[in-house]
Amino acid sequence: RYQGNKMDIYNSFKTRMDESLKASYTNRGRLTCNLDGRVETISIGVNNLVGTMPEELSELRESLVKLGLMRNSLTSTIPSSFAELKNLETLNLMENCLTGTIPEDLPSRLTKLRTGHFQKNNDLRGNLNGFCNGTENRQIIAECGDCPGSMALVECTCCTCSDFNTMQYCNKDGTVQVNAGKLYAWETFNRGECSLNDVQRTWQEENCHCFVQKNSQSFVCSTECPS
């Protein structure tokens, strides 16, 4: 159990993470605790994390509600112990370098999960149909093959499908979703070479000569670069 003030809890958790991850932390990381002093939210996306995800995260099984590790360069597989995070409502692993098979019992044991992002990893495969149990307001995104010409790496009849090559999201009828959020972003090209394949790199060379600040929090690709 992680107890104490928030800084003590953060430092304790960070030390455990550093044992498994070679990290370059930025100020974007966030960790929050519940009223009992237990870690409830871990959001360390876009933090230049490399390495494997630590099995020790399962020690937060009673309290962890949100885990965000998106847009880093994490490798290897999803630890089987993640299925023990029984109170998890949000799991965001998108845009890493994950490979291997999603733990078979993950969908059946994460019964409270409402948002799961598994898309845009190198070669992450498996079956997520356990999430397709009729629960409303559940959003699961993965490479499930509904986009025209895309590969079906994950079996899932209720998922929103992503195409790793084109960064598009598709409806179940194969039509491309519009206004589905940022397709390419500054973070996409600045989190490790393993995250880009040849198609994406070609797109970057043709369409993303520089990044132009859109607002105080985001950048967009552009071919018109400031001199």
Side-chain angles (χ1 to χ4, degrees):
R1 179 178 178 180
Y2 293 78
Q3 293 180 311
N5 61 49
K6 289 185 178 181
M7 186 55 66
D8 289 340
I9 294 170
Y10 178 81
N11 288 333
S12 175
F13 175 76
K14 182 180 181 298
T15 299
R16 300 291 292 276
M17 288 286 285
D18 282 344
E19 293 175 358
S20 297
L21 300 176
K22 296 178 181 178
S24 173
Y25 286 86
T26 72
N27 292 326
R28 301 188 187 194
R30 186 178 68 173
L31 182 149
T32 62
C33 303
N34 60 24
L35 295 178
D36 294 327
R38 298 190 177 194
V39 177
E40 185 177 56
T41 298
I42 297 171
S43 182
I44 47 176
V46 199
N47 264 277
N48 301 320
L49 298 179
V50 299
T52 60
M53 290 180 286
E55 296 272 353
E56 289 86 355
L57 283 171
S58 63
E59 295 181 17
L60 303 174
R61 63 179 64 85
E62 299 294 335
S63 62
L64 194 62
V65 174
K66 179 179 180 179
L67 178 59
L69 300 174
M70 58 286 187
R71 286 178 170 162
N72 286 295
S73 296
L74 301 176
T75 56
S76 190
T77 61
I78 299 174
S80 59
S81 61
F82 275 27
E84 299 175 21
L85 297 171
K86 59 184 180 180
N87 291 309
L88 204 62
E89 297 178 3
T90 299
L91 176 61
N92 194 338
L93 304 177
M94 68 176 285
E95 292 191 21
N96 276 285
C97 310
L98 301 177
T99 59
T101 303
I102 298 168
E104 185 177 353
D105 60 344
L106 192 79
S108 61
R109 296 180 66 182
L110 298 186
T111 58
K112 296 184 179 181
L113 197 75
R114 293 294 174 267
T115 302
H117 290 184
F118 301 89
Q119 74 273 27
K120 301 177 186 177
N121 282 283
N122 279 17
D123 191 24
L124 187 61
R125 299 171 182 265
N127 192 320
L128 295 177
N129 279 325
F131 288 125
C132 306
N133 57 5
T135 302
E136 296 182 359
N137 300 320
R138 175 177 277 172
Q139 182 191 56
I140 309 296
I141 305 178
E143 259 70 39
C144 48
D146 283 347
C147 293
S150 65
M151 296 179 61
L153 301 181
V154 174
E155 293 182 44
C156 185
T157 59
C158 62
C159 288
T160 295
C161 291
S162 168
D163 185 342
F164 185 81
N165 287 332
T166 63
M167 294 286 188
Q168 293 177 325
Y169 296 95
C170 298
N171 299 311
K172 300 308 292 183
D173 62 0
T175 58
V176 176
Q177 290 187 8
V178 295
N179 301 322
K182 294 186 293 184
L183 301 183
Y184 284 93
W186 181 86
E187 300 92 344
T188 302
F189 300 116
N190 287 274
R191 55 188 167 77
E193 281 298 309
C194 65
S195 299
L196 295 181
N197 61 26
D198 290 341
V199 176
Q200 294 168 331
R201 195 168 288 107
T202 297
W203 188 96
Q204 178 191 17
E205 293 172 354
E206 294 178 352
N207 300 281
C208 196
H209 299 169
C210 61
F211 295 94
V212 178
Q213 189 163 6
K214 183 178 181 181
N215 52 48
S216 60
Q217 296 182 332
S218 65
F219 293 77
V220 295
C221 286
S222 177
T223 56
E224 300 179 2
C225 303
S227 57

